[in-house]
Amino acid sequence: MADALPNVDRLQCLGVANTIVPLLREIHRYEETVVFPAYEAALTLAESKLACTNRLRAEHLEDECYADELTEALLAIGHGDRIDNAEAVGFMLRGFFESVRRHIAFEREHILPRIGFSGL
């Protein structure tokens, strides 16, 4: 989508806009209620003082706020608004997805192996 700007598929923009926030919130809820408690239970006492789950929870909030902003932009595009600054919209898309990729990579490398999950 970012690479196609300013000639994006408006229906695709609407689809992503209507999906991204609910999906992200559901994933975060699962991580915070299932994955993080399992990880925290697997830590030693010394490690628990260094637990990264508080930082990851804060990242969840940041990601959701950013997803809200991205949703607004995609809804506007999907409803026919002109894209005045395609570079800025592309930057928003790439920035959001890069942040989510880093978050996932960290969890795959540090959290999931600790709780015995290697399915990803």
Side-chain angles (χ1 to χ4, degrees), residues 9-118:
D9 179 336
R10 294 191 185 279
L11 288 177
Q12 182 183 27
C13 288
L14 291 173
V16 171
N18 287 314
T19 305
I20 196 165
V21 171
L23 180 61
L24 195 62
R25 285 188 180 143
E26 182 63 23
I27 291 166
H28 289 167
R29 186 192 63 73
Y30 179 78
E31 287 182 346
E32 292 176 9
T33 60
V34 176
V35 176
F36 292 171
Y39 172 72
E40 290 165 340
L43 298 174
T44 66
L45 183 58
E47 291 170 327
S48 68
K49 294 178 183 175
L50 303 173
C52 58
T53 52
N54 288 335
R55 179 179 58 83
L56 293 172
R57 284 183 179 95
E59 285 181 11
H60 285 174
L61 292 174
E62 291 172 11
D63 289 345
E64 288 177 21
C65 289
Y66 200 69
D68 284 334
E69 292 177 25
L70 185 56
T71 294
E72 286 180 31
L74 292 174
L75 283 172
I77 294 167
H79 288 292
D81 284 7
R82 201 178 89 171
I83 301 172
D84 293 324
N85 190 341
E87 188 174 312
V89 176
F91 182 77
M92 283 180 73
L93 285 163
R94 289 182 185 96
F96 173 73
F97 290 118
E98 183 57 34
S99 172
V100 171
R101 278 188 211 104
R102 276 195 302 272
H103 185 94
I104 292 168
F106 180 84
E107 290 176 347
R108 282 182 173 173
E109 187 174 329
H110 298 281
I111 306 286
L112 296 181
R114 190 61 182 251
I115 62 174
F117 187 84
S118 60

